[in-house]
Amino acid sequence: MSSPENTPGPRKHQPFVPETMEMKEFTLRAVLLGLVMTVVLGAANAYLGLRAGITIAATYPAAVIGMAVLRIWKGSVLEENIARTSGTIGEGIAAGAIFTIPAFVIAKAWPSFRPADAYWKTTALIMVGSVLGVLFISLVRRGMVEDPELPFPESVAAGEIHKAGRRGAQAAKYLFWNIGIGGLVYMLGRFGLFAADKDVHFNIGTLGHSQVRLGAAGDSNILAAGGASTVAAPSVSPAYLGVGYIIGLKLASIQFAGGVLAWGLIVPLLMFLMGPQLRHYLPADTPDDWAGMSVAIWRFIVRPIAVGGMLVGAAYTLLKMRKSLALGLGRAFADLRQTAADQAKLSRTERYMSSKVVFTLIGVMFLLMCLLYMNISGLKLPAILAAVVMLVVGFFFATISGSLCGFIGSSNNPVSGLTLSTLLIAALLMVFLGVSGLSGVATVLGVAAVVCVSSSVAGELLQDFKVGYILGGTPAKIQVAELIAVVVASLVMYFPLMLLHEANIRAGGIGFGDRQLSAPQAGLMATLAQGIVGGEMAWPLVVVGIFFGIAMIMMQVRSPMLVAVGMYLPFETTFAIFIGGVFRSWGDWAAKRRGFNEAQMARVENAGVLTASGLIAGEALLGLLWAGMQFAPKWARPQFFSDPSYAIGGMLVMALLAALMIGLPLSAAGDPKEPAPPTAMM
């Protein structure tokens, strides 16, 4: 038996690139490639988030693209890491931006979203939030990255992809080819070759004949009923199908259940009971037709109920995470006690930005926040208090976000739940100070925007730190690359948002909040800010939603938040995402039926995720192009058919996409004797 002196201790971490080895890392080509990726992937996620309410982690696509491009110049693995690190942060900024920035317009806190009214405010809010996210997580990076209890699933997968090298470069073909296919399908739909959407109208009883008796037989208490409603077929959308494929059938089904509750239960029920009297209860600008009425019922009655459900879902998510949150915060404060002597002993792979520099920059950001909130709200004391709230809450929630990413990955990080908590704190503070009206709403949304971007960026950056830890990157260089990337992304993020908003208006919509640009999280933020500060909340409907959320928790629904979001989103969106999940399930079933082993299943999974990611990116990028084309002459947007077919053309395209998303991954199974590659773990 070995003596205590000879008992081996914990094994020391060995990075892929040894800490004593010097290698090209922070190079101009790596940084420039990362900046291009952060702008492109950030814009694509902004498009996806505004339309579907979901963003997709960019870590895996950025790793594949970075490897494929840098391999041309024989770049090192640490250069690839810097490119991927810079390239992924745009997705985090996009997620924070689309969750909050449109709320200023929806709540009418800003007069418009044109550059003169919104560019510098949007840029300042995003930049302050993203820089603070980098600084906050830099303070707690070391303890969290080295914690063996945090599995960092997406970080480990990305690190293994970089190590795999040649396999990752070969995988790029799945991504790039499907970017082209996704973009082509989207544009053919826009040019009228097929109809991407279809509404189905149906009667609910018979107006003038249907009735509901409110008593025993012979009682005269009879309610006249009957009407008509509408339901949407699934959108023929490569992006929505790709989202469903990536999140899988279980999560897609939960979200779709919310849509079924909204359009299969609540809307038809209200249309039936209120049909004869409905026009008296609708806004004056509602179209005088049953389809318009059903949409109005969904927008003004169902959505506030969904808001209550989302509030409960957010609170429940944070409650379930309470142990991991407390653990992450405890490690954060323990890490702050490090001395300068402790840091002087660190090797290359442990060197990161000086704490003095970090705290100095945080102080500068605080002063800028005070000035920014004063300008946005026109108030002094409330603006300063709001900045203090943002600084304190922002640090806690940035740490929480990083901890959650360490457990579940950035794809599942409940940033919107953290932001809702911040918004409620800020809104109650404004009410306590006696602030009301648009100035109070603007201040509350300003706090929420900075915290949301900060938390989103912090989680994404901690994942990048973990990949660097695995590969042997230099933390200080990763920090500098991230700071450059967040500044560049902040300067340009306004433009895809503005383009989509203005293009929707030109196409006959209302911009943010329109059916084609629903921005569900931002709509929720605007509703809460207006309701608490402005006194415009439809509280009875929200309370109904709260009890609905509690009931879902009692029924042990896996994600009450996801059900509520499904109620809030357009039905054609959740339906298409569900169909994408079905495609994933069919592909998995076919792979098992063919007897694929673990290695083959891993290759099928990787090819499937890359195929879906390519379809998402393709539609998103061409969607931005199409938005820009709304400002061009009409001849630049030719139409193949004036009345394109959904039943024939749309369903044919859907079948072809199904064949692609199921068949292409199965063809990538390869030889069963080949070793298993790292899986995407999206």
Side-chain angles (χ1 to χ4, degrees), residues 186-208:
Y186 175 81
M187 292 303 288
L188 290 177
R190 288 298 182 179
F191 285 142
L193 185 65
F194 65 91
D197 296 288
K198 175 71 174 179
D199 287 333
V200 180
H201 307 286
F202 56 93
N203 291 325
I204 308 172
T206 305
L207 185 63

Side-chain angles (χ1 to χ4, degrees), residues 81-92:
N81 181 54
I82 288 292
R84 182 201 46 75
T85 293
S86 304
T88 58
I89 207 66
E91 181 268 330

Side-chain angles (χ1 to χ4, degrees), residues 19-40:
E19 58 189 36
T20 56
M21 180 181 291
E22 295 296 328
M23 180 183 290
K24 285 185 178 181
E25 184 173 5
F26 190 86
T27 62
L28 180 61
R29 63 191 181 189
V31 172
L32 290 178
L33 175 59
L35 294 179
V36 171
M37 288 195 292
T38 203
V39 170
V40 173

Side-chain angles (χ1 to χ4, degrees), residues 14 17 202 219 403 408 465:
Q14 297 294 332
V17 177
F202 56 93
D219 197 306
S403 178
I408 59 178
F465 275 137

